[in-house]
Each structure stands twice: as C-alpha cells, then as structure tokens.
C-alpha cells in the first residue's frame, strides 16, 4: 500500500500494514525459521547493529516474522489516534513468548527495588502471582486498591510516594469488572506515574487505551488476537518509541522471552480477521447473556454489556462492544456447576478464552480448585460459577447446548 493511503477501518489496517515482500514475491511474510542472519560485510553488520530495527541479526533480538505481527498490532492499537502534536500516533510493539513474558518485561524494565506497583484486586491469576511471588522478592512492593474508587486511587497515590506504575486490567476476570482507564490515567498523570493496561479481554478493536494517554498496553496474544487457540504469545506495546527501542528492548532481549517464527506467523494470520471475529463474538455474547439472565437455574450473570452490571457505564464509555467473556452463577452450587459442565454437548470444556469456539470452564473444580474458600470468595469465585468465552458458532447452537445442559442439574 502507498504511504499516503489512509485507512478507514481496522480490517484494512490488519490486512495491509505489513509491506508485501517483493524480494521473495511471497504474498505473506514467510516463517523465518532461522536463529541468525548473514552479514555481507563488516560494514553491513555494523549498520544493522547500529540501526533502529534489530530484526535481522539474531532471533532473540528480533525476526522479520515477529516484526510483521508487531507492526500490525502497533498499527491496530494506534488506529485513528493522534499524538500531542496532532500527528498520527506511533507505537512500537515487542512480541514475546507469552503474555506472562510480556508482563515480565513491562515490570522489570520499569521498576526497581524500593518502587511500588498499584493495581486492582480482580487480576489475571498469573499477573497476581508474578507480582506477589516474583516482584516482591526483588524488593518491589505491591499495593492493591479498588481502582473503581477514584478517591481511593488518588489517596493511595498520595500516601505511597514509591508507587511508580499503575497497572490496569479491564475488563477483568471472573466478574468482568471494568476500570475507567481515562479517569485513573488522569489522576496517575497528575502525579507523573506510569500507566499500563492489560487489554487482553477487549482487543484493540473494542478498546484503545492509548486514547486516554496510557504508556503501555499489553496482551496475551494467546486469546483474541491469535483467536484460533493455536499458540501461546504476548505483546508489549509502548508509545515512548525511543525507550521501547533501548531500555525496554534491552530487558526483553536479556530476559530471553522471545517469540518464535511459527507462532508469530499464526498470530499474523489470526489478526487479519480480528474485526470480523470480534463482531460475531460480541453479537453472540449479548444473546447468550440475555438467555442466561432469564433462565430459572441461573442466580446471576456477570456481563458488562448488561445494564445491571455495576460497571456497565464505564464499559459503555470506553469499549466499542462489551466483549465476549462472561460468568454466571448457577443456583445449585458445586454439583450444579459440575453437572452443567459434564452435560455440554457442543461447547468446549477448557480454560483460556478468545478462541473461535465457545470455551466453558468451572473455576471451583478447575483453575481455582486448590485455592482456599475465603480467597475464592474475595475474588468472586463461588461454587456454582461458570465462565464462558462465547465463540463464533451459530448462536442458536450455543443457546441450544446451554439450554440442554441446564435441564438436569
Ligand atoms: C491469559 C492472560 C494472561 C497471560 O497470558 P499467557 O499468554 O497465558 O502467558 C495475562 N492477562 C490476561 C488478562 C490473560 O487472560
């Protein structure tokens, strides 16, 4: 595509950000399954080492197949946004082996002993454990507050001068709580704090945190970005390009959490249909939520697209659609939860989320089986709670499967 062509939507961005490779005539960026790259001369080697892009030196440092996915994700997160000077926002993305690896780079490149991170109590389990088991050992303090309470956010920042980074995850598991990115970022920036957002549940099609002035966005690309459940992966996107190319890239390459070319290729392929998939995912999810809400075996539905959800307005303000992940409480408790899962005939029994097929899990007997009861209650994980990541099947079939599974609880 020509440099002066301006895209009107994210499907075009996803399909045409990566330049066609006129050296190989390959329509798609090939899988560069190579650990190292050739220099024709010492001079050329020097230029590549000094250059901005390190994708043709050594694959722990970068690789053309990673770069195709990185450039596309950066373009999706930046689509339609302007920087402070009114120019199109430029972002830089670094692909990682997993969402956890991306989070590790984020934390370690921005925090040192004596600093603190402020975050919310409803967090992805891996993030929570990374904070409490790894960061605390390195002398980083973890401060948890309800980030939906803006007065508390302000008070906590004022009282804890060592807070450097505010990490927001929205929407978040399992009750799909949403945090007002704009409001929290406004407070954080008054106190010169760094803000990062885990945008995994939303994807850039539904939510663009850089619109509100955040510094970093990260994703587990394992979920909606890949979309097909074919690979684990993560990405860290930043708006301070210089810092992304120096300090953040340095930590990323030293920690060794690089992606691999095959998984990067699968991710690039998945990204092309992001808009189409998200539209269908969200449309199906709304119908599933309404079905669950009126069903007599269901005590409660947690879906940010329902007016009854406590964060409905925040979600409506910052998201294009409310997403495709929800949870619901069966009246019959643990046994009803287990029976429901066992009765499913079409939907997939699995953890994870964001794949094209509907995934259903029962936290009490699966992910949170070994967590003490008081801890579970704190995070909203009750015995009859079912989590569902609504897929792109024909919605009648999802509804049919859920309805029949609820017949004998
Ligand atoms: C899955 C997930 C992660 C961790 O990503 P991995 O790819 O499994 O390492 C982080 N945050 C959220 C919100 C997730 O859903």
């Amino acid at each position: 595509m020509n440099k002066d062509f301006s895209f009107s939507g994210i499907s075009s961005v996803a399909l045409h950000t990566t330049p066609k490779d006129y050296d190989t005539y390959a329509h798609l960026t090939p899988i560069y399954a190579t650990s190292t790259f050739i220099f024709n001369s010492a001079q050329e080697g020097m230029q590549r080492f000094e250059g901005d892009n390190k994708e043709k030196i050594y694959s722990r440092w970068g690789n053309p197949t990673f770069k195709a996915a990185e450039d596309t994700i950066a373009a999706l997160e930046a689509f339609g946004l302007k920087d402070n000077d009114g120019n199109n926002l430029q972002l830089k993305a670094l692909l990682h082996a997993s969402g956890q690896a991306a989070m590790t780079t984020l934390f370690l490149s921005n925090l040192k002993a004596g600093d603190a991170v402020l975050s919310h109590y409803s967090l992805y389990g891996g993030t929570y454990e990374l904070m409490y088991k790894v960061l605390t050992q390195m002398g980083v303090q973890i401060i948890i507050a309800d980030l939906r309470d803006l007065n508390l956010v302000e008070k906590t920042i004022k009282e804890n001068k060592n807070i450097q980074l505010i990490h927001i995850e929205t929407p978040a598991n399992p009750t799909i709580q949403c945090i007002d990115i704009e409001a929290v970022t406004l407070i954080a920036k008054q106190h010169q704090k760094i803000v990062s957002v885990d945008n995994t549940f939303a994807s850039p099609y539904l939510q663009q945190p850089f619109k509100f002035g955040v510094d970093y966005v990260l994703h587990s690309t394992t979920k909606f970005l890949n979309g097909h459940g074919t690979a684990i992966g993560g990405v860290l996107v930043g708006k301070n390009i210089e810092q992304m190319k120096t300090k953040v890239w340095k930590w990323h390459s030293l920690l060794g959490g690089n992606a691999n070319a095959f998984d990067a290729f699968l991710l690039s392929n998945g990204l092309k249909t992001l808009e189409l998939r998200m539209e269908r995912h969200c449309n199906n999810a709304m119908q599933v939520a309404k079905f669950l809400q009126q069903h007599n075996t269901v005590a409660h539905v947690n879906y940010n697209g329902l007016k009854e959800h406590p964060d409905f307005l925040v979600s409506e303000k910052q998201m294009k659609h409310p997403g495709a992940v929800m949870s619901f409480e069966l009246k019959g408790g643990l046994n009803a939860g287990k029976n429901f899962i066992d009765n499913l005939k079409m939907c997939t029994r699995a953890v994870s989320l964001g794949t094209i097929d509907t995934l259903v899990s029962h936290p009490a007997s699966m992910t949170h089986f070994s967590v003490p009861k008081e801890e579970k209650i704190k995070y909203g994980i009750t015995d009859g709670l079912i989590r569902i990541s609504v897929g792109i099947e024909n919605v009648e079939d999802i509804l049919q499967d859920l309805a029949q599974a609820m017949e004998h609880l």
Side-chain angles (χ1 to χ4, degrees):
M1 64 104 194
N2 273 317
K3 282 219 169 346
D4 59 1
F5 191 86
S6 131
F7 297 120
S8 62
I10 77 143
S11 283
S12 309
V13 174
L15 292 168
H16 293 287
T17 292
T18 312
K20 304 283 175 273
D21 187 345
Y22 291 108
D23 292 337
T24 62
Y25 301 105
H27 176 207
L28 304 177
T29 306
I31 300 170
Y32 281 84
T34 182
S35 55
T36 195
F37 295 83
I38 299 165
F39 306 124
N40 284 313
S41 64
Q43 171 72 15
E44 195 189 299
M46 195 179 78
Q47 279 167 351
R48 257 187 265 160
F49 270 90
E50 281 185 341
D52 266 353
N53 293 315
K54 305 273 196 291
E55 79 272 12
K56 282 181 183 164
I57 300 174
Y58 183 61
S59 286
R60 176 156 46 78
W61 288 20
N63 173 294
T65 319
F66 308 172
K67 190 167 188 297
E70 289 169 341
D71 287 355
T72 302
I73 294 168
L76 293 175
E77 286 290 351
F79 176 66
L81 306 184
K82 302 283 181 198
D83 63 17
N84 290 338
D85 302 322
N87 300 314
N88 290 338
L89 181 67
Q90 300 295 317
L91 298 170
K92 178 156 177 69
L94 287 170
L95 206 59
H96 286 72
S98 64
Q100 287 300 115
M103 195 114 49
T104 304
T105 299
L106 166 75
F107 289 148
L108 296 193
S109 62
N110 283 282
L111 298 164
K112 58 182 186 323
D115 290 344
V117 186
L118 171 62
S119 199
H120 186 70
Y121 61 89
S122 185
L123 277 177
Y124 178 71
T127 309
Y128 186 83
E129 286 197 81
L130 182 63
M131 286 179 173
Y132 278 97
K133 297 198 168 140
V134 180
L135 293 187
T136 52
Q137 282 215 11
M138 305 179 64
V140 173
Q141 189 193 351
I142 312 301
I143 301 174
I144 298 292
D146 189 336
L147 298 185
R148 295 170 304 172
D149 179 344
L150 299 174
N151 290 329
L152 183 63
V153 171
E154 172 120 57
K155 183 166 166 275
T156 309
I157 293 177
K158 279 185 176 157
E159 283 173 2
N160 296 276
K161 300 285 182 231
N162 53 346
I163 291 174
Q164 284 301 327
L165 176 80
I166 295 153
H167 182 68
I168 301 172
E169 183 182 321
T170 181
N173 243 339
T175 50
I176 326 298
Q177 293 180 355
C178 297
I179 290 161
D180 188 331
I181 304 170
E182 183 175 28
V184 172
T185 306
L186 200 67
I187 300 168
K189 289 299 162 192
Q190 282 164 359
H191 299 271
Q192 287 86 44
K193 305 301 178 194
I194 304 163
V195 180
S196 56
V197 175
D198 185 332
N199 206 22
T200 301
F201 270 47
S203 90
Y205 179 57
L206 300 184
Q207 175 171 281
Q208 290 174 290
F210 287 105
K211 188 172 171 181
F212 308 115
V214 310
D215 301 284
Y216 296 99
V217 163
L218 70 86
H219 287 271
S220 164
T221 61
T222 314
K223 318 292 166 55
F224 290 104
L225 293 186
N226 171 300
H228 300 70
T230 52
I232 299 286
V235 71
L236 178 61
V237 191
K239 73 172 176 191
N240 184 333
I241 306 274
E242 202 40 48
Q243 214 170 56
M244 286 301 290
K245 283 180 177 165
T246 53
K247 189 173 180 190
V248 179
W249 174 79
K250 181 57 94 182
W251 278 95
H252 161 62
S253 58
L254 290 176
L255 288 168
N258 54 280
N260 71 75
F262 183 56
D263 289 353
F265 174 83
L266 294 172
L267 171 59
S268 282
N269 234 14
L271 289 171
K272 294 176 202 298
T273 53
L274 181 67
E275 177 174 2
L276 276 175
R277 286 186 285 109
M278 292 316 287
E279 279 293 332
R280 174 81 162 224
H281 274 297
C282 295
N283 217 313
N284 282 359
M286 186 54 92
Q287 294 185 60
V288 168
K290 288 189 170 149
F291 162 81
L292 292 171
Q293 207 180 22
Q294 55 73 46
H295 202 276
N296 61 12
T297 63
V298 175
H300 186 70
V301 182
N302 300 304
Y303 182 55
N304 49 324
L306 297 175
K307 288 201 173 62
E308 294 79 6
H309 190 280
D311 305 324
F312 172 77
L313 290 176
V314 168
S315 159
E316 199 183 43
K317 174 184 143 188
Q318 65 193 15
M319 297 180 75
K320 189 181 178 79
H321 305 305
V325 186
M326 67 190 72
S327 63
F328 61 97
E329 178 71 34
L330 285 168
K331 287 177 187 164
L334 192 65
N335 276 336
K338 283 187 186 162
N339 291 338
F340 172 78
I341 292 282
D342 290 346
N343 291 346
L344 290 169
K345 290 182 177 169
M346 180 194 78
C347 297
T348 309
R349 278 176 286 266
V351 295
S352 195
L353 57 105
T355 62
I356 39 184
D357 55 329
T358 298
L359 302 185
V360 185
S361 65
H362 181 217
S365 68
M366 298 174 181
T367 45
H368 293 71
F369 180 66
S370 54
V371 178
K373 189 153 183 125
E374 312 80 68
E375 283 280 300
K376 279 193 273 213
I377 303 257
K378 202 163 106 194
Y379 301 112
I381 295 157
T382 44
D383 284 345
L385 192 78
I386 301 289
R387 194 185 73 179
I388 172 163
S389 168
V390 179
I392 64 167
E393 295 95 341
N394 300 97
V395 71
E396 297 77 9
D397 290 325
I398 304 173
L399 299 178
Q400 182 197 158
D401 195 21
L402 299 180
Q404 69 79 24
M406 283 167 167
E407 269 169 29
H408 306 287
L409 294 181

